[in-house]
Amino acid sequence: MAYIEPAPIKDRENPLESMMSRFNIAAEKLGLEEQVYNVLKNPAKQVIVSLPITMDNGKIEVFEGIRVIHSNILGPAKGGIRFAPDVHLDEVRALAAWMTWKCAVVDIPYGGGKGGVRCNPREMSAGEIERLMRAYTLAMIDVFGPDKDIPAPDMGTGPREMAWLMDEYSKSHGMTVNAVVTGKPLVLGGSLGRTEATGRGVMVSALAAMEKLKINPYQATCAVQGFGNVGSWAAILLEERGLKVVAISDISGAYHNSNGINIQEAIAYRDNNKGTLEGYKGAEKLSTPGELLELDVDVLVPAAVEDVITTANADKIKAKLIVEGANGPTSAKADQILVDKGVMSVPDILANAGGVTVSYFEWVQNRLGYKWTAERVNRRSDRIMKDAFQNVYKAAQQYDVPLRIAAYIVAIDKVAKTYKFRGGF
Ligand code: NAD
């Protein structure tokens, strides 16, 4: 099976270091006071639990569960739960901080959190996963709460796991508490518009950036890496706005058609083909999947995995604009190469924040006991994404920095100011 060539070792960054290197640059530009820097640098709470689970074979296995609340200065912590074999504390700490900045950049009243359980859900039965999710919820019963910490799905978890979390939390509290978690199935209080929300935010921020770069969407080409939730929604919505999507890719490889790929058709193909583009005939398969990143297109949307744009390929990128659908697709060391080449990058904490924005709307609807139409959800999230882009763009000009650093500046400034007004805890 094809795969994206992993980043050379020298570029492989500990996610915490990668986040901190950007944080440090932004903090310095902002002139952040040392004492506030020290507050924001450290997570507010880290909880590690052991979860003994009876497996289907009758044996007991013990799993490690982590929850990190990086900050609850702006409001309750918000962030997903990852079920993966390589979950470790440093990664969860970095992802939790990322959530703080992401929520602050789009100006929603949440802090940042993240959770993880070290396990391999692909090798577990549904029953084992359910027992693990319920045990994790019980172990975190005093951590979670609609006003304290609101989890969501991440890698290896989805609406099914969120339903179990909500059920377990509700049973412990003797009442239905659907606002304790987002990303739930619609029937349990999930929000319309959540499925497409991240891809939609990618589209909105891509169009806002194209306007600044004076790129006409109707004459622009685009390549999208990753054809899952974020990539396929971004592709279809960008196509709807006039862009010609000339390349798409997934774990099976990258597919290129200079006349444009019919995205609707590619999605239908994937859905009837066990979720992959393997064997897709609407485009030519590129000899290596990494070539997609180096195509001569106007807009590049990495929407698969982290660390795909590195010092090994950054100077070969021809796109004028990169819109980061994935979390952390560009290594910190590659940032400067792109800046020197004049490539504009809309950073992950801004470009893919449409998802957390609609998660926030899910929580708002749950608390109101009310359901919004998809039209209302989309209109409000589009407005939030547009405003956030303009704010970050303004900060980039004011501080004379790239959009990534500007996004961190906007976020850190907001959290730091709030912290000061509140007078700390
Ligand atoms: P997904 O699992 O739905 O899709 C991932 C896609 O990437 C699939 O098409 C898969 O085949 C492809 N892929 C995986 N490994 C690959 C590889 N090595 N080479 C090429 N393609 C590969 O996941 P998603 O929800 O679309 O998330 C994608 C990225 O966006 C992740 O970084 C995620 O953290 C980030 N993100 C997602 C959301 C969301 O709401 N889903 C929100 C914010 C950020």
Side-chain angles (χ1 to χ4, degrees), residues 14-303:
N14 169 315
L16 193 58
E17 282 168 18
S18 158
M19 189 276 298
M20 283 310 293
S21 67
R22 276 93 174 228
F23 174 78
N24 287 341
I25 301 173
E28 198 188 317
K29 289 272 175 197
L30 195 58
L32 192 68
E33 286 167 49
E34 196 183 340
Q35 43 186 349
V36 181
Y37 173 90
N38 287 335
V39 172
L40 302 186
K41 189 176 82 167
N42 293 301
K45 186 186 277 190
Q46 306 180 71
V47 183
I48 301 181
V49 292
S50 293
L51 306 166
I53 303 299
T54 307
M55 306 305 278
D56 290 348
N57 63 10
K59 295 207 169 111
I60 292 175
E61 258 186 57
V62 183
F63 296 87
E64 182 179 280
I66 302 173
R67 186 73 184 169
V68 174
I69 293 181
H70 169 259
S71 163
N72 44 16
I73 292 170
L74 296 186
K78 184 89 193 86
I81 298 169
R82 181 169 284 198
F83 276 17
D86 53 355
V87 165
H88 62 91
L89 185 61
D90 263 3
E91 175 193 47
V92 180
R93 281 169 58 140
L95 295 169
W98 235 315
M99 287 304 298
T100 301
W101 313 132
K102 198 180 284 192
C103 294
V105 124
V106 284
D107 202 13
I108 57 179
Y110 282 149
K114 203 78 181 190
V117 178
R118 196 179 305 144
C119 64
N120 189 349
R122 283 170 206 262
E123 287 175 0
M124 295 168 72
S125 70
E128 288 169 342
I129 296 174
E130 177 173 357
R131 292 196 286 282
L132 185 56
M133 192 67 224
R134 288 185 184 276
Y136 178 73
T137 307
L138 273 183
M140 299 293 174
I141 209 80
D142 294 329
V143 178
F144 296 157
D147 291 307
K148 293 200 287 190
D149 179 19
I150 309 141
D154 194 72
M155 221 181 267
T157 63
R160 181 183 68 164
E161 285 74 19
M162 300 308 112
W164 290 328
L165 191 159
M166 178 205 136
D167 183 65
E168 199 62 33
Y169 186 91
S170 297
K171 278 181 186 153
S172 310
H173 287 77
M175 59 185 169
T176 297
V177 191
N178 56 7
V180 70
V181 61
T182 64
K184 299 178 292 292
L186 263 184
V187 49
L188 294 190
S191 179
L192 291 168
R194 176 61 187 94
T195 312
E196 60 270 42
T198 306
R200 192 176 173 90
V202 168
M203 175 274 288
V204 171
S205 36
L207 290 189
M210 287 165 73
E211 202 179 315
K212 300 290 182 198
L213 294 172
K214 304 206 170 12
I215 300 174
N216 177 350
Y218 288 92
Q219 288 164 1
T221 54
C222 175
V224 181
Q225 181 189 54
F227 208 61
N229 174 280
V230 180
S232 63
W233 275 106
I236 192 121
L237 294 169
L238 285 167
E239 186 191 46
E240 270 177 31
R241 301 302 188 282
L243 283 91
K244 194 197 280 182
V245 182
V246 296
I248 55 176
S249 75
D250 71 359
I251 192 78
S252 73
Y255 306 83
H256 178 238
N257 181 343
S258 52
N259 294 320
I261 292 170
N262 182 331
I263 301 298
Q264 200 73 265
E265 197 186 277
I267 291 176
Y269 180 87
R270 175 200 67 187
D271 291 347
N272 290 319
N273 193 42
K274 298 190 186 127
T276 104
L277 290 167
E278 182 75 66
Y280 179 61
K281 295 282 178 287
E284 215 173 288
K285 191 167 180 173
L286 295 172
S287 46
T288 60
E291 277 174 58
L292 175 139
L293 300 167
E294 297 165 22
L295 290 171
D296 190 5
V297 289
D298 297 293
V299 183
L300 175 63
V301 179

